[in-house]
Amino acid sequence: MADNNEEILEIEEVNTEKEGIKISNDVIAVIAGVAVSEVTGVAGMAGGFAGGISEVLSGKKNLAKGIKVDATEKEAKIDVNIIVEYGVRIPDVAFEIQNRIKKAVENMTGLNVSEVNVHVQGVNTQTLEETVEVKEEKDDNEENK
């Protein structure tokens, strides 16, 4: 009788790995967005006008902002538009972004990431301006003494 139970258990095993699973491009974009947000030297994402308006109206941060995903059943191509901090080495930041996105998307979705293209849309100089203003104020205070 034990033999019959073993046979039933073997018959019930069904291979369901990756059968009929379609992962939305938006989901892949959010995964990539989270990976980019962890990279130092990235001031923000450069998204379109519509993305900025939807963030303001909803009050939520759009993690897929500035990311375009082209995914098939087996692979994904990802384009990332970023704004870097002033003073960082851009090739190092881009390389780190490529590695983190590739690792995160492949681990979470099982898709092969064939391309991660990083497009630097701007440099955030706001921190540079603040540093200059602080220095000027300090110089002015020393002159007044």
Side-chain angles (χ1 to χ4, degrees), residues 7-135:
E7 288 177 19
I8 292 171
L9 292 176
E10 289 176 18
I11 293 171
E12 290 178 4
E13 287 183 22
V14 179
N15 185 11
T16 58
E17 189 173 329
K18 293 187 182 181
E19 284 186 22
I21 297 174
K22 172 70 174 126
I23 299 171
S24 169
N25 289 352
D26 293 338
V27 171
I28 297 169
V30 169
I31 293 168
V34 171
V36 170
S37 69
E38 297 171 348
V39 176
T40 55
V42 176
M45 303 300 290
F49 181 70
I53 289 177
S54 66
E55 267 186 45
V56 171
L57 294 177
S58 68
K60 295 180 182 176
K61 187 173 182 179
N62 182 6
L63 293 173
K65 177 181 175 183
I67 299 174
K68 180 181 172 248
V69 176
D70 182 23
T72 62
E73 289 181 16
K74 296 186 180 184
E75 71 175 16
K77 297 177 183 177
I78 302 169
D79 288 291
V80 182
N81 297 295
I82 62 165
I83 300 169
V84 296
E85 293 287 349
Y86 180 82
V88 299
R89 192 167 188 283
I90 294 173
D92 293 344
V93 172
F95 183 72
E96 182 69 18
I97 288 170
Q98 289 172 326
N99 286 337
R100 287 195 186 214
I101 287 177
K102 183 173 173 57
K103 184 178 179 182
V105 171
E106 287 181 349
N107 286 341
M108 293 181 76
T109 65
L111 294 173
N112 178 38
V113 177
S114 60
E115 292 179 20
V116 177
N117 302 308
V118 179
H119 307 277
V120 179
Q121 300 293 328
V123 177
N124 182 12
T125 58
Q126 190 172 29
T127 55
L128 175 67
E129 292 169 3
E130 290 171 359
T131 304
V132 171
E133 288 174 10
V134 168
K135 186 176 181 191

